[in-house]
Amino acid sequence: YVSNVREAAELAASLHPGLVILEGSGAAIPPVPWDAGIMVVPATAPPEYLGGYLGPYRLLRSDLVVVTMAGDPSGSENLSALRSPVRRYLDDAAFILTDFVPVALEDIRGKEVFYATTAPLTVVERLIRRLEADHGCTVVGWSARLADRAGLVEDLDAVQGYDVLLTELKAAAVDTAVARALDRGAEVVFVDNRAEAVEGSVDLDTALGGAIDIALGRAEDRL
């Protein structure tokens, strides 16, 4: 196959940034050597993806495993099965459970909000409670059909009024939801979905910082 990852990595390293972060695509592994690896796995992933196929190889090349969407009911039942192969190859400290938390990128305190998301229906109510608790807003309408323009329009039109459209940044958000919100005189605020550790005493920032320290230490030893 054709890839320019190696050339890109070499160019990035030539700038002497101190740290270069490469992101794989899906199950792909960057075709360059690295000093530390972080594996990101959805809580809904079949356990054999970690315990079989090339899963053990990926685990052995990783220093940290971050499980996302641990709060999804369909994923929470799967966590013990995912943890088993990780324990086989890595210690418990390398396994971090996280869930995505919606974070408004502007102040929406005291505002009535329409919330547009691609989150599964099973978690939307929990996300709304978190938004209201963290940001002091009132969610008067919502849509989990941000990837379905026709459905999104139906959900938007079903709500009489709102001060702010709070939406993830997706194509339909820009060409459909934002346009309709502005036509109604509403503000538009984008929302970020940030991973937050939901188990144990180590937060995600600390775990990621530990992986970075490992990479820097190995690079120093190598050089």
Side-chain angles (χ1 to χ4, degrees):
Y1 62 92
V2 177
S3 171
N4 62 357
V5 172
R6 179 175 294 278
E7 290 82 357
E10 290 174 348
L11 176 59
S14 72
L15 301 176
H16 305 290
L19 181 71
V20 176
I21 298 176
L22 299 177
E23 179 185 3
S25 176
I29 297 175
V32 294
W34 61 83
D35 293 300
I38 299 172
M39 178 187 287
V40 181
V41 184
T44 54
E48 59 266 27
Y49 284 11
L50 287 184
Y53 306 106
L54 290 175
Y57 171 74
R58 294 187 176 96
L59 286 171
L60 289 170
R61 296 300 310 273
S62 301
D63 299 279
L64 173 65
V65 177
V66 178
V67 178
T68 62
M69 298 184 289
D72 188 318
S74 61
S76 59
E77 301 174 358
N78 198 40
L79 292 177
S80 61
L82 289 178
R83 198 188 300 266
S84 178
V86 175
R87 283 177 171 166
R88 190 179 310 149
Y89 299 103
L90 302 172
D91 60 43
D92 282 344
F95 188 81
I96 302 291
L97 295 181
T98 70
D99 203 6
F100 288 119
V101 175
V103 178
L105 300 184
E106 295 181 32
D107 185 14
I108 55 173
R109 189 166 301 278
K111 303 290 183 66
E112 292 189 338
V113 168
F114 185 98
Y115 175 46
T117 178
T118 54
L121 289 172
T122 52
V123 302
V124 171
E125 289 189 5
R126 177 169 52 81
L127 297 179
I128 288 173
R129 290 195 298 271
R130 185 65 185 262
L131 276 171
E132 292 180 332
D134 289 354
H135 295 282
C137 64
T138 301
V139 177
V140 296
W142 59 271
S143 176
R145 298 194 282 181
L146 195 50
D148 172 8
R149 285 174 172 81
L152 177 60
V153 168
E154 288 181 7
D155 294 338
L156 285 163
D157 290 347
V159 178
Q160 293 299 316
Y162 49 88
D163 303 315
V164 176
L165 167 68
L166 184 65
T167 179
E168 298 166 4
L169 183 54
K170 305 290 184 183
V174 174
D175 64 29
T176 302
V178 168
R180 297 182 86 84
L182 294 177
D183 286 344
R184 297 174 65 160
E187 301 174 53
V188 176
V189 174
F190 290 107
V191 63
D192 195 9
N193 293 314
R194 299 181 184 174
E196 178 180 86
V198 296
E199 179 182 283
S201 58
V202 179
D203 61 34
L204 184 58
D205 286 349
T206 300
L208 294 174
I212 290 172
D213 289 342
I214 289 172
L216 295 175
R218 288 174 179 164
E220 184 176 346
D221 293 342
R222 176 168 47 80
L223 299 174

